[in-house]
Amino acid sequence: MLAASIQRCQTVWNRVNMVTNERIFMMDMKQAMHERHMVRKYLDKPIPVGVVEKLEERVQKNNEAYGLSIKLMTDNGSAIPAAIKLLLAKDVNNFFIMAGPDGTDERLGYAGADLMLYAQTLGLNTWWVGGTFSRKTVQREADGAKPVGVVVVGYGETQGKPHKTKTVAQVSSYDGPAPQWFTDGVKAALLAPTALDKQDFFITGKGHDVSITCEKSIFAEVNKGLVKYHFELGAGAQNFTWVQ
């Protein structure tokens, strides 16, 4: 009897710890969402082995969850063309190859948002590069998968600066008085990186149903995934359902 009681108490305690750790992690991710900014110039400082292992574990989880082929490259400066490095970037030596089968652009955007914020919780900085990466080089490293971009990761010279954002009213509408979770979600969506910082998305809500559209472009589906992840983090995925 005593042993069974101790076992039950231990089980309850383990569950409490799991819930507590999950809440702490979500708080860290939400904080990271506000602290993450685009960083193009990095320190010539390697990412420690232990941190690389955590990043690779996160990559594996995203690949398994969404059927992707994301790959982390370290101590490799081949992602960004020399001309871009000369003008805009510095010491870009680590990056995620955001790749997967055809038709997975949205999932790659979603997973990319997760990796960028997770990297931020580890004290790293990031830069989503959708158009100015070395496509031939990255394609060779993608093991046959289709790359839609790269996410540079490392220790930034600075923490970057907030980008200019649109207002909640400019990118969303709700049928009736908007609940707080919806407003929080839209504010979080405005923190997401999008192509050329255009924020060309629109989120609508009715009851617990939410939908998102993006202006047509080659980056539209990737942008949708990036924005969806941020909206979910801000709104709380338990508060709504995505609809087409």
Side-chain angles (χ1 to χ4, degrees), residues 12 27 59 68 80 95 100 108 138 143 148 156 161 175 185 187 190 192 202 216 218:
V12 171
M27 287 174 63
V59 166
L68 304 174
I80 307 299
F95 58 96
L108 285 165
V138 171
D143 300 326
V148 299
K161 297 179 180 179
D175 186 4
K187 288 180 178 178
L190 287 167
F202 199 83
K216 288 185 179 181
I218 60 173

Side-chain angles (χ1 to χ4, degrees), residues 156-209:
E157 284 191 353
T158 70
Q159 294 301 304
K161 297 179 180 179
H163 60 263
K164 185 178 179 180
T165 68
K166 295 180 179 179
T167 66
V168 169
Q170 286 176 308
V171 299
S172 70
S173 69
Y174 191 87
D175 186 4
Q180 190 61 49
W181 62 261
F182 182 81
T183 302
D184 290 343
V186 177
K187 288 180 178 178
L190 287 167
L191 297 174
T194 55
L196 304 176
D197 287 334
K198 290 179 66 176
Q199 298 184 319
D200 53 358
F201 60 86
F202 199 83
I203 299 171
T204 57
K206 182 177 180 180
H208 292 283
D209 292 340

